[in-house]
Protein backbone atom coordinates (compact mmCIF):
# COMPACT_ATOMS: atom_id res chain seq x y z
CA UNK A 1 0.00 0.00 0.00
CA UNK A 2 1.51 3.35 -0.95
CA UNK A 3 2.20 5.96 1.71
CA UNK A 4 0.20 9.15 1.16
CA UNK A 5 1.28 12.65 2.26
CA UNK A 6 -1.26 15.49 2.00
CA UNK A 7 -0.48 19.22 1.75
CA UNK A 8 -2.95 21.50 3.57
CA UNK A 9 -3.09 25.19 4.40
CA UNK A 10 -5.05 28.35 3.74
CA UNK A 11 -5.12 29.85 0.21
CA UNK A 12 -2.06 31.58 -1.27
CA UNK A 13 0.59 30.15 1.04
CA UNK A 14 2.26 28.36 -1.89
CA UNK A 15 0.89 24.83 -1.56
CA UNK A 16 0.93 24.15 -5.30
CA UNK A 17 4.40 25.62 -5.75
CA UNK A 18 5.68 23.42 -2.93
CA UNK A 19 3.90 20.43 -4.48
CA UNK A 20 5.60 21.08 -7.84
CA UNK A 21 8.96 21.51 -6.15
CA UNK A 22 8.68 18.23 -4.22
CA UNK A 23 7.42 16.17 -7.15
CA UNK A 24 10.27 17.47 -9.31
CA UNK A 25 12.69 15.94 -6.87
CA UNK A 26 11.51 12.68 -8.36
CA UNK A 27 11.77 14.07 -11.89
CA UNK A 28 15.39 14.87 -11.27
CA UNK A 29 16.24 11.64 -9.51
CA UNK A 30 14.34 8.75 -10.98
CA UNK A 31 11.61 9.38 -13.44
CA UNK A 32 12.32 8.89 -17.12
CA UNK A 33 8.78 9.23 -18.42
CA UNK A 34 7.52 12.34 -20.12
CA UNK A 35 4.68 14.43 -18.79
CA UNK A 36 4.76 13.18 -15.24
CA UNK A 37 3.64 16.38 -13.56
CA UNK A 38 0.78 16.92 -15.95
CA UNK A 39 -1.91 17.20 -13.32
CA UNK A 40 -0.63 19.15 -10.40
CA UNK A 41 -2.70 17.62 -7.66
CA UNK A 42 -1.01 14.23 -7.35
CA UNK A 43 2.52 13.00 -7.76
CA UNK A 44 5.16 10.57 -6.62
CA UNK A 45 8.22 11.55 -4.64
CA UNK A 46 11.30 9.38 -4.28
CA UNK A 47 13.67 10.64 -1.62
CA UNK A 48 16.77 8.65 -0.68
CA UNK A 49 15.18 5.43 -1.85
CA UNK A 50 11.90 5.91 -0.02
CA UNK A 51 8.88 6.45 -2.24
CA UNK A 52 5.60 8.05 -1.27
CA UNK A 53 2.65 9.75 -2.97
CA UNK A 54 1.86 13.37 -2.37
CA UNK A 55 -1.44 15.13 -2.88
CA UNK A 56 -2.13 18.86 -2.97
CA UNK A 57 -5.55 19.15 -1.36
CA UNK A 58 -5.88 22.77 -2.42
CA UNK A 59 -5.77 21.69 -6.04
CA UNK A 60 -9.26 20.23 -5.95
CA UNK A 61 -11.23 22.49 -3.70
CA UNK A 62 -13.42 24.45 -6.05
CA UNK A 63 -15.56 27.57 -5.42
CA UNK A 64 -12.70 29.43 -3.80
CA UNK A 65 -14.96 32.48 -3.51
CA UNK A 66 -16.91 30.40 -0.99
CA UNK A 67 -16.21 30.96 2.66
CA UNK A 68 -12.55 30.05 2.92
CA UNK A 69 -12.96 28.46 6.30
CA UNK A 70 -15.56 25.92 5.18
CA UNK A 71 -13.44 24.89 2.21
CA UNK A 72 -10.35 24.51 4.36
CA UNK A 73 -12.23 22.46 6.94
CA UNK A 74 -13.13 20.14 4.09
CA UNK A 75 -9.52 19.80 2.91
CA UNK A 76 -8.16 19.23 6.39
CA UNK A 77 -10.84 16.71 7.36
CA UNK A 78 -10.14 14.73 4.21
CA UNK A 79 -6.40 14.88 4.65
CA UNK A 80 -6.73 13.63 8.23
CA UNK A 81 -8.98 10.80 7.16
CA UNK A 82 -7.00 9.65 4.14
CA UNK A 83 -3.33 10.58 4.53
CA UNK A 84 -0.51 8.95 6.49
CA UNK A 85 1.17 12.29 7.13
CA UNK A 86 0.22 15.95 6.72
CA UNK A 87 2.31 18.92 5.57
CA UNK A 88 0.78 22.08 6.99
CA UNK A 89 2.00 25.06 4.94
CA UNK A 90 2.07 28.58 6.41
CA UNK A 91 3.37 31.86 5.00
CA UNK A 92 6.53 33.26 6.66
CA UNK A 93 5.95 36.68 5.12
CA UNK A 94 2.50 37.04 6.70
CA UNK A 95 3.04 35.37 10.05
CA UNK A 96 0.30 33.50 11.93
CA UNK A 97 -3.29 34.28 10.89
CA UNK A 98 -6.58 33.29 12.54
CA UNK A 99 -7.12 30.71 9.84
CA UNK A 100 -3.72 29.14 10.58
CA UNK A 101 -4.67 28.93 14.26
CA UNK A 102 -7.92 27.26 13.31
CA UNK A 103 -6.23 24.63 11.10
CA UNK A 104 -3.53 24.00 13.72
CA UNK A 105 -6.18 23.30 16.33
CA UNK A 106 -7.80 20.61 14.17
CA UNK A 107 -4.41 19.09 13.34
CA UNK A 108 -3.32 18.98 16.99
CA UNK A 109 -6.41 16.93 17.82
CA UNK A 110 -5.82 14.50 14.96
CA UNK A 111 -3.49 11.62 15.72
CA UNK A 112 -1.65 12.01 12.40
CA UNK A 113 1.99 13.07 12.13
CA UNK A 114 2.12 16.73 11.03
CA UNK A 115 5.11 18.64 9.66
CA UNK A 116 4.86 22.42 9.80
CA UNK A 117 6.27 24.13 6.71
CA UNK A 118 7.03 27.87 6.82
CA UNK A 119 7.09 28.75 3.13
CA UNK A 120 8.21 31.91 1.28
CA UNK A 121 11.53 32.22 3.12
CA UNK A 122 12.84 33.65 -0.14
CA UNK A 123 15.66 35.56 1.52
CA UNK A 124 17.42 35.35 4.89
CA UNK A 125 15.46 38.34 6.21
CA UNK A 126 12.31 36.22 6.39
CA UNK A 127 14.01 33.63 8.63
CA UNK A 128 13.45 35.96 11.59
CA UNK A 129 9.68 35.48 11.22
CA UNK A 130 9.81 31.69 11.45
CA UNK A 131 9.98 31.26 15.28
CA UNK A 132 6.56 32.89 15.53
CA UNK A 133 5.03 29.63 14.22
CA UNK A 134 6.10 27.72 17.35
CA UNK A 135 2.96 29.09 18.95
CA UNK A 136 0.85 26.84 16.71
CA UNK A 137 1.95 23.96 18.96
CA UNK A 138 2.97 21.66 16.09
CA UNK A 139 6.70 21.38 16.79
CA UNK A 140 9.56 22.82 14.74
CA UNK A 141 8.58 24.90 11.69
CA UNK A 142 10.69 23.99 8.65
CA UNK A 143 11.72 27.16 6.77
CA UNK A 144 11.56 26.60 3.01
CA UNK A 145 11.29 28.53 -0.21
CA UNK A 146 9.19 26.52 -2.65
CA UNK A 147 10.22 28.95 -5.39
CA UNK A 148 13.99 28.50 -5.01
CA UNK A 149 14.04 25.06 -3.37
CA UNK A 150 15.76 26.37 -0.21
CA UNK A 151 15.22 24.00 2.76
CA UNK A 152 13.29 21.35 0.83
CA UNK A 153 15.96 18.68 1.35
CA UNK A 154 15.73 18.98 5.14
CA UNK A 155 11.96 18.99 4.86
CA UNK A 156 11.95 15.75 2.83
CA UNK A 157 14.31 14.11 5.35
CA UNK A 158 11.76 14.89 8.06
CA UNK A 159 8.78 13.71 5.96
CA UNK A 160 10.43 10.37 5.26
CA UNK A 161 11.36 9.98 8.94
CA UNK A 162 7.75 10.49 10.09
CA UNK A 163 6.13 8.11 7.58
CA UNK A 164 4.64 5.15 9.42
CA UNK A 165 6.12 1.72 8.71
CA UNK A 166 4.03 -0.46 6.42
CA UNK A 167 2.51 -3.55 8.02
CA UNK A 168 4.38 -6.31 6.17
CA UNK A 169 2.23 -9.32 6.93
CA UNK A 170 -1.03 -8.10 5.37
CA UNK A 171 0.72 -7.24 2.12
CA UNK A 172 2.41 -10.64 1.91
CA UNK A 173 -0.82 -12.59 2.37
CA UNK A 174 -2.31 -10.80 -0.60
CA UNK A 175 0.73 -10.94 -2.84
CA UNK A 176 -0.07 -13.96 -5.00
CA UNK A 177 -3.68 -13.22 -5.89
CA UNK A 178 -4.65 -10.59 -8.50
CA UNK A 179 -6.06 -7.35 -7.13
CA UNK A 180 -8.57 -5.43 -9.25
CA UNK A 181 -9.73 -1.89 -8.48
CA UNK A 182 -12.91 -0.46 -9.93
CA UNK A 183 -12.42 3.28 -10.37
CA UNK A 184 -14.16 6.13 -12.12
CA UNK A 185 -16.10 9.31 -11.61
CA UNK A 186 -18.96 9.39 -9.10
CA UNK A 187 -22.15 7.83 -10.55
CA UNK A 188 -20.35 5.99 -13.36
CA UNK A 189 -21.72 2.77 -11.87
CA UNK A 190 -18.84 1.45 -9.73
CA UNK A 191 -21.02 0.29 -6.83
CA UNK A 192 -23.54 -1.34 -9.17
CA UNK A 193 -20.72 -3.24 -10.85
CA UNK A 194 -19.29 -4.39 -7.51
CA UNK A 195 -22.76 -5.46 -6.40
CA UNK A 196 -23.48 -7.34 -9.59
CA UNK A 197 -20.21 -9.24 -9.18
CA UNK A 198 -20.81 -10.06 -5.56
CA UNK A 199 -24.59 -10.45 -5.83
CA UNK A 200 -26.60 -11.47 -2.82
CA UNK A 201 -24.42 -14.51 -2.20
CA UNK A 202 -22.47 -12.90 0.55
CA UNK A 203 -20.97 -16.24 1.63
CA UNK A 204 -18.44 -16.07 -1.19
CA UNK A 205 -17.12 -12.85 0.24
CA UNK A 206 -14.40 -12.47 2.80
CA UNK A 207 -13.58 -8.91 3.68
CA UNK A 208 -10.09 -8.19 4.88
CA UNK A 209 -10.39 -4.77 6.35
CA UNK A 210 -7.26 -2.72 6.67
CA UNK A 211 -7.51 0.34 8.86
CA UNK A 212 -10.32 2.69 7.89
CA UNK A 213 -8.15 4.76 5.59
CA UNK A 214 -6.90 1.70 3.76
CA UNK A 215 -8.52 -0.37 1.11
CA UNK A 216 -10.79 -3.28 1.84
CA UNK A 217 -10.00 -6.41 -0.13
CA UNK A 218 -13.04 -8.50 -1.03
CA UNK A 219 -12.03 -12.02 -2.03
CA UNK A 220 -14.03 -13.22 -5.02
CA UNK A 221 -13.87 -16.89 -5.82
CA UNK A 222 -16.64 -18.24 -7.94
CA UNK A 223 -17.18 -19.26 -11.59
CA UNK A 224 -13.52 -20.18 -11.78
CA UNK A 225 -12.25 -16.72 -10.78
CA UNK A 226 -10.09 -15.99 -7.77
CA UNK A 227 -9.02 -12.43 -7.06
CA UNK A 228 -9.44 -9.52 -4.67
CA UNK A 229 -11.70 -6.59 -5.49
CA UNK A 230 -10.09 -3.52 -3.98
CA UNK A 231 -12.77 -1.42 -2.43
CA UNK A 232 -11.62 1.79 -0.85
CA UNK A 233 -12.57 2.70 2.66
CA UNK A 234 -15.75 4.67 2.78
CA UNK A 235 -17.26 3.52 -0.49
CA UNK A 236 -19.96 1.66 1.41
CA UNK A 237 -20.63 4.21 4.11
CA UNK A 238 -22.07 7.68 3.88
CA UNK A 239 -19.31 10.05 4.78
CA UNK A 240 -19.42 12.19 7.87
CA UNK A 241 -17.69 14.95 5.96
CA UNK A 242 -19.99 16.82 3.64
CA UNK A 243 -17.25 17.05 1.07
CA UNK A 244 -16.66 17.90 -2.53
CA UNK A 245 -17.59 14.61 -4.20
CA UNK A 246 -15.21 14.95 -7.14
CA UNK A 247 -12.27 15.66 -4.87
CA UNK A 248 -13.12 12.86 -2.49
CA UNK A 249 -13.47 10.35 -5.31
CA UNK A 250 -10.00 11.23 -6.61
CA UNK A 251 -8.39 10.85 -3.18
CA UNK A 252 -10.12 7.50 -2.84
CA UNK A 253 -9.14 6.45 -6.34
CA UNK A 254 -5.49 7.10 -5.47
CA UNK A 255 -5.78 4.63 -2.60
CA UNK A 256 -7.51 1.99 -4.70
CA UNK A 257 -5.18 2.36 -7.68
CA UNK A 258 -2.04 2.06 -5.57
CA UNK A 259 -3.35 -1.11 -3.92
CA UNK A 260 -4.25 -2.88 -7.17
CA UNK A 261 -2.65 -4.71 -10.12
CA UNK A 262 -5.32 -3.93 -12.70
CA UNK A 263 -7.74 -0.99 -12.74
CA UNK A 264 -11.17 -1.24 -14.27
CA UNK A 265 -11.95 2.34 -15.29
CA UNK A 266 -15.68 2.99 -15.56
CA UNK A 267 -16.83 5.62 -18.05
CA UNK A 268 -20.47 6.70 -18.21
CA UNK A 269 -21.73 6.00 -21.75
CA UNK A 270 -24.37 8.71 -21.45
CA UNK A 271 -21.80 11.40 -20.64
CA UNK A 272 -18.76 10.47 -22.71
CA UNK A 273 -15.21 11.16 -21.57
CA UNK A 274 -14.85 13.97 -19.07
CA UNK A 275 -11.81 15.62 -17.50
CA UNK A 276 -12.23 13.64 -14.33
CA UNK A 277 -11.88 10.41 -16.37
CA UNK A 278 -8.60 11.73 -17.78
CA UNK A 279 -7.41 12.59 -14.27
CA UNK A 280 -8.07 9.07 -13.06
CA UNK A 281 -6.50 7.60 -16.21
CA UNK A 282 -3.33 9.59 -15.57
CA UNK A 283 -3.23 8.29 -11.97
CA UNK A 284 -3.38 4.73 -13.36
CA UNK A 285 -0.59 5.58 -15.82
CA UNK A 286 1.63 7.16 -13.16
CA UNK A 287 1.28 4.11 -11.00
CA UNK A 288 2.02 1.82 -13.98
CA UNK A 289 -1.10 -0.31 -13.44
CA UNK A 290 -2.95 -2.54 -15.89
CA UNK A 291 -6.06 -1.03 -17.46
CA UNK A 292 -9.46 -2.21 -18.70
CA UNK A 293 -11.85 0.54 -19.83
CA UNK A 294 -15.51 -0.16 -19.20
CA UNK A 295 -18.10 1.99 -20.98
CA UNK A 296 -20.99 1.43 -18.59
CA UNK A 297 -24.74 2.20 -18.90
CA UNK A 298 -24.63 0.96 -22.50
CA UNK A 299 -28.27 -0.10 -22.08
CA UNK A 300 -29.21 3.62 -22.01
CA UNK A 301 -27.56 4.43 -25.35
CA UNK A 302 -29.95 4.44 -28.29
CA UNK A 303 -27.53 3.93 -31.17
CA UNK A 304 -25.77 0.62 -30.45
CA UNK A 305 -24.53 0.06 -34.01
CA UNK A 306 -20.99 -1.15 -34.74
CA UNK A 307 -20.30 2.28 -36.14
CA UNK A 308 -21.29 3.95 -32.86
CA UNK A 309 -19.08 1.52 -30.93
CA UNK A 310 -16.15 2.25 -33.25
CA UNK A 311 -16.62 6.03 -32.84
CA UNK A 312 -16.66 5.71 -29.07
CA UNK A 313 -13.54 3.49 -29.02
CA UNK A 314 -11.63 5.87 -31.31
CA UNK A 315 -12.56 8.85 -29.13
CA UNK A 316 -11.33 7.10 -25.97
CA UNK A 317 -8.01 6.00 -27.47
CA UNK A 318 -7.46 9.47 -28.88
CA UNK A 319 -7.99 11.12 -25.49
CA UNK A 320 -5.78 8.56 -23.68
CA UNK A 321 -2.94 8.58 -26.24
CA UNK A 322 -0.03 7.80 -26.42
CA UNK A 323 -1.03 4.69 -24.41
CA UNK A 324 -3.68 3.08 -26.63
CA UNK A 325 -3.13 -0.67 -26.26
CA UNK A 326 -5.88 -1.49 -23.76
CA UNK A 327 -9.24 -3.32 -23.99
CA UNK A 328 -12.53 -1.36 -24.10
CA UNK A 329 -15.77 -3.11 -23.13
CA UNK A 330 -19.36 -1.88 -23.43
CA UNK A 331 -21.30 -3.00 -20.39
CA UNK A 332 -24.37 -2.49 -18.29
CA UNK A 333 -24.02 -3.23 -14.59
CA UNK A 334 -27.79 -2.93 -14.32
CA UNK A 335 -28.72 -5.59 -16.89
CA UNK A 336 -25.46 -7.48 -16.15
CA UNK A 337 -24.58 -7.25 -19.84
CA UNK A 338 -20.98 -8.45 -20.41
CA UNK A 339 -20.00 -8.01 -16.77
CA UNK A 340 -18.23 -11.38 -16.63
CA UNK A 341 -16.35 -10.41 -19.75
CA UNK A 342 -14.96 -7.57 -17.60
CA UNK A 343 -13.50 -10.07 -15.13
CA UNK A 344 -12.13 -12.32 -17.88
CA UNK A 345 -10.48 -9.32 -19.54
CA UNK A 346 -9.02 -8.05 -16.25
CA UNK A 347 -7.55 -11.55 -15.72
CA UNK A 348 -6.01 -11.46 -19.22
CA UNK A 349 -4.45 -8.05 -18.52
CA UNK A 350 -3.11 -9.37 -15.19
CA UNK A 351 -1.52 -12.32 -17.02
CA UNK A 352 -0.06 -9.97 -19.66
CA UNK A 353 1.62 -8.00 -16.86
CA UNK A 354 3.38 -11.20 -15.81
CA UNK A 355 4.24 -12.44 -19.30
CA UNK A 356 7.90 -13.36 -19.76
CA UNK A 357 9.39 -13.43 -23.27
CA UNK A 358 12.42 -15.76 -23.59
CA UNK A 359 15.60 -13.82 -24.35
CA UNK A 360 16.42 -15.82 -27.50
CA UNK A 361 12.97 -15.14 -28.98
CA UNK A 362 13.18 -11.48 -28.01
CA UNK A 363 16.53 -10.98 -29.75
CA UNK A 364 15.48 -12.92 -32.83
CA UNK A 365 12.51 -10.62 -33.44
CA UNK A 366 13.74 -7.30 -32.09
CA UNK A 367 17.22 -7.27 -33.66
CA UNK A 368 15.56 -7.71 -37.07
CA UNK A 369 13.18 -4.81 -36.32
CA UNK A 370 16.15 -2.66 -35.22
CA UNK A 371 18.15 -3.54 -38.35
CA UNK A 372 15.14 -2.58 -40.50
CA UNK A 373 14.84 0.80 -38.78
CA UNK A 374 17.94 1.71 -36.76
CA UNK A 375 18.01 4.62 -34.29
CA UNK A 376 18.73 7.95 -36.05
CA UNK A 377 22.38 9.02 -36.08
CA UNK A 378 23.41 11.92 -33.87
CA UNK A 379 26.25 14.26 -34.92
CA UNK A 380 27.62 11.58 -37.23
CA UNK A 381 27.67 8.92 -34.50
CA UNK A 382 25.58 5.78 -34.80
CA UNK A 383 23.75 4.07 -32.00
CA UNK A 384 24.29 0.31 -32.16
CA UNK A 385 21.84 -1.82 -30.17
CA UNK A 386 23.53 -5.16 -29.58
CA UNK A 387 21.26 -7.13 -27.31
CA UNK A 388 17.90 -7.04 -25.52
CA UNK A 389 16.67 -8.79 -22.41
CA UNK A 390 13.63 -8.72 -20.14
CA UNK A 391 14.05 -7.84 -16.49
CA UNK A 392 12.94 -10.67 -14.21
CA UNK A 393 10.63 -9.93 -11.29
CA UNK A 394 9.73 -6.35 -12.32
CA UNK A 395 6.28 -5.04 -11.38
CA UNK A 396 5.70 -4.00 -15.01
CA UNK A 397 7.11 -5.76 -18.12
CA UNK A 398 10.53 -4.12 -18.47
CA UNK A 399 12.83 -4.47 -21.47
CA UNK A 400 16.47 -3.46 -21.41
CA UNK A 401 18.26 -2.70 -24.66
CA UNK A 402 22.05 -2.69 -24.43
CA UNK A 403 23.78 -0.25 -26.75
CA UNK A 404 26.88 1.95 -27.12
CA UNK A 405 25.24 5.40 -26.70
CA UNK A 406 22.08 5.00 -24.57
CA UNK A 407 21.70 8.75 -23.91
CA UNK A 408 21.09 9.39 -27.63
CA UNK A 409 18.09 7.10 -27.98
CA UNK A 410 15.16 9.50 -27.79
CA UNK A 411 11.49 9.03 -26.89
CA UNK A 412 10.13 8.48 -30.46
CA UNK A 413 12.54 5.58 -31.03
CA UNK A 414 11.74 4.06 -27.65
CA UNK A 415 8.08 4.23 -28.65
CA UNK A 416 8.93 2.43 -31.92
CA UNK A 417 10.57 -0.37 -29.91
CA UNK A 418 7.57 -0.58 -27.60
CA UNK A 419 5.18 -0.81 -30.56
CA UNK A 420 7.26 -3.62 -32.09
CA UNK A 421 7.16 -5.52 -28.79
CA UNK A 422 3.37 -5.08 -28.62
CA UNK A 423 2.98 -6.24 -32.25
CA UNK A 424 4.78 -9.50 -31.52
CA UNK A 425 3.64 -10.37 -27.99
CA UNK A 426 0.39 -9.74 -26.17
CA UNK A 427 0.89 -6.97 -23.62
CA UNK A 428 -2.60 -5.50 -24.05
CA UNK A 429 -3.70 -3.39 -21.09
CA UNK A 430 -0.35 -3.18 -19.36
CA UNK A 431 2.27 -0.42 -19.54
CA UNK A 432 5.77 -1.42 -20.68
CA UNK A 433 9.11 0.04 -19.62
CA UNK A 434 11.81 0.37 -22.27
CA UNK A 435 15.26 1.24 -20.93
CA UNK A 436 18.56 1.82 -22.71
CA UNK A 437 21.73 0.71 -20.95
CA UNK A 438 25.38 0.94 -21.91
CA UNK A 439 26.90 -2.35 -22.95
Amino acid sequence: MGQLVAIVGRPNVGKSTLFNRLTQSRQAIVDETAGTTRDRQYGKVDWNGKEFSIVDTGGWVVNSDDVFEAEINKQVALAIEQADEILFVVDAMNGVTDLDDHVAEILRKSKKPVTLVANKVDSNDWLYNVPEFYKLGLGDPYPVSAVSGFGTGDLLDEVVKLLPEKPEDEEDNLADIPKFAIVGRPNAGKSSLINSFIGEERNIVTDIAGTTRDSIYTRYNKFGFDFYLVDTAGIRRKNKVNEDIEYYSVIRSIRAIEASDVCILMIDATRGIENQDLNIFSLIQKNKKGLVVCVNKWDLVEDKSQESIKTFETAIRKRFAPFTDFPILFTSALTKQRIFKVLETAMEVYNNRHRIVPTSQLNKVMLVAIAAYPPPANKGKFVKIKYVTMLKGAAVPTFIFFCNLPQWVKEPYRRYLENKIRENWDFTGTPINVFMREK
Side-chain angles (χ1 to χ4, degrees), residues 228-263:
Y228 283 107
L229 266 179
V230 184
D231 193 356
T232 42
I235 272 183
R236 295 205 190 100
R237 64 191 162 82
K238 286 280 179 281
N239 297 300
K240 296 181 286 290
V241 193
N242 177 19
E243 76 300 279
D244 183 312
I245 299 292
E246 289 264 295
Y247 168 56
Y248 196 69
S249 75
V250 175
I251 285 254
R252 264 198 330 227
S253 300
I254 291 171
R255 282 276 175 216
I257 290 165
E258 290 186 340
S260 69
D261 299 306
V262 177
C263 297

Side-chain angles (χ1 to χ4, degrees), residues 303-318:
D303 178 7
K304 296 185 174 63
S305 65
Q306 279 306 110
E307 206 170 308
S308 158
I309 288 177
K310 270 275 164 283
T311 309
F312 218 118
E313 283 189 349
T314 309
I316 293 173
R317 293 194 202 282
K318 199 168 159 190

Side-chain angles (χ1 to χ4, degrees), residues 79-215:
I80 289 170
E81 188 179 339
Q82 296 287 328
D84 297 295
E85 183 181 337
I86 294 164
L87 295 187
F88 175 28
V89 185
V90 290
D91 180 340
M93 292 183 179
N94 278 347
V96 178
T97 67
D98 294 350
L99 214 41
D100 294 331
D101 272 330
H102 171 71
V103 173
E105 190 183 343
I106 305 174
L107 291 176
R108 281 197 305 272
K109 288 179 188 156
S110 85
K111 297 287 174 271
K112 292 282 162 90
V114 177
T115 303
L116 183 58
V117 186
N119 188 26
K120 305 195 185 176
V121 180
D122 299 339
S123 72
N124 285 343
D125 299 347
W126 297 109
L127 276 169
Y128 299 112
N129 291 9
V130 172
E132 184 190 341
F133 293 104
Y134 275 103
K135 74 180 194 192
L136 294 173
L138 290 168
D140 296 336
Y142 278 77
V144 304
S145 164
V147 172
S148 72
F150 161 76
T152 45
D154 292 344
L155 173 63
L156 282 167
D157 287 343
E158 178 65 11
V159 170
V160 164
K161 198 166 77 193
L162 288 180
L163 275 176
E165 288 301 313
K166 297 179 193 172
E168 291 298 320
D169 48 346
E170 188 186 298
E171 293 294 297
D172 295 345
N173 296 344
L174 303 174
D176 309 335
I177 296 176
K179 293 179 280 296
F180 300 153
I182 298 175
V183 293
R185 279 186 315 96
N187 306 327
K190 298 188 293 293
S191 309
S192 320
L193 189 66
I194 291 171
N195 292 339
S196 39
F197 286 152
I198 293 167
E200 274 56 59
E201 300 175 47
R202 277 282 161 172
N203 55 350
I204 58 151
V205 171
T206 38
D207 283 356
I208 300 181
T211 58
T212 42
R213 61 165 183 76
D214 273 349
S215 299

Side-chain angles (χ1 to χ4, degrees), residues 219-231:
R219 180 82 172 259
Y220 182 102
N221 42 8
K222 111 176 152 168
F223 305 124
F225 292 110
D226 188 8
F227 59 87
Y228 283 107
L229 266 179
V230 184
D231 193 356

Side-chain angles (χ1 to χ4, degrees), residues 20 45 95 118 141 148 187 191 349 363 381 410 425:
N20 287 339
V45 180
S148 72
N187 306 327
S191 309
V349 170
N363 281 281
K381 296 205 170 169
K410 298 289 181 265
W425 296 280

